Amino acid sequence: LSESYSRSARVYDLIYGDEHTARIKDYAAEAKELDAIIRARNPSARTLLDVACGTGVHLALLRGRYSVEGADLSPQMLAVAARRLPGVPLHQADMRSLALGRTYDVVTCLFSSIGYVTDADDLVTAIGRLAQHLSAGGVLIIDGWVRPDAWQDGYRADPESGSDGVTDVVRLAATRREGQITTLDMHHLVRTAAGIEHVAERHVMRLVPTSEHVAAFEAAGLRTEVLPQSMPGRDRIVGLRPR
Ligand SMILES: C[S@@+](CC[C@H](N)C(=O)[O-])C[C@H]1O[C@@H](n2cnc3c(N)ncnc32)[C@H](O)[C@@H]1O
């Protein structure tokens, strides 16, 4: 099994969707929702950093409205983002030690990426790092992984697939939970003109109670609210750095 996203980065958008096509995710609708949340809390927000930006689809949709930058741990995901976002600064960084040396009016960490921080102390550190990058009046938005009470043991998702006419992908996932830790083995069959490749990755994520996220936001000095996410069983935590 390969490291998360190292080999699946090139088919990520075919599975999840992009700025033009909604698949598992409707990124365009999400970007509108995020923009409304930001404007209601900081109407003059101009700069935005998306941490764990992945292939950069949210950034592509928000760059018209904000001056955007991205950061991600995975060089392969950043390579896809760089092709999508010419001229946008992209940083290879771990959110647990993020130190970009400047602040932003908005910091986001979307689509469950925070779940990859599987240690409780690291979670407090990571949220502290994100909050440190907020300017006065800045807004932090974190979309959490599945809430512990919403996880369904034994759930067997249907096979997922996508195609752009050049690359076809089919994915099957096997998931399990031990305590707070969920392990997702993702097996992809990727067909191109060169043939069919099998890409298998293991993703390990922690189910974090919303109260633990809220406590970390508050410890970082943010005024905190919890909103629903469009994906069921997941919460969105929104924090505001007081002026
Ligand atoms: C589910 S993807 C989400 C990508 C993107 N935000 C989206 O909405 O499509 C999770 C992302 O988190 C990144 N990631 C995982 N652990 C990370 C860490 N410690 N620091 C920064 N990025 C991380 C992965 O490389 C991957 O791109």
Side-chain angles (χ1 to χ4, degrees), residues 11 14 161-170 188-192 195-197:
V11 294
L14 294 182
S161 63
S163 175
D164 59 7
V166 175
T167 303
D168 308 301
V169 58
V170 180
H188 310 72
L189 290 177
V190 183
R191 180 173 63 192
T192 60
I196 297 178
E197 199 184 334

Side-chain angles (χ1 to χ4, degrees), residues 181-195:
I181 299 297
T182 53
T183 303
L184 293 74
D185 287 345
M186 309 270 208
H187 290 254
H188 310 72
L189 290 177
V190 183
R191 180 173 63 192
T192 60

Side-chain angles (χ1 to χ4, degrees), residues 21-34:
T21 310
R23 297 185 199 266
I24 291 178
K25 285 181 78 69
D26 185 343
Y27 283 98
E30 263 187 29
K32 276 198 187 131
E33 228 176 81
L34 292 165

Side-chain angles (χ1 to χ4, degrees), residues 5 12 27 52-54 58 72-74 77 93-95 111 113 116:
Y5 303 107
Y12 184 91
Y27 283 98
C53 65
H58 288 110
D72 199 280
L73 187 58
S74 160
M77 293 294 262
D94 186 322
M95 65 175 108
F111 194 17
S113 305
Y116 287 90

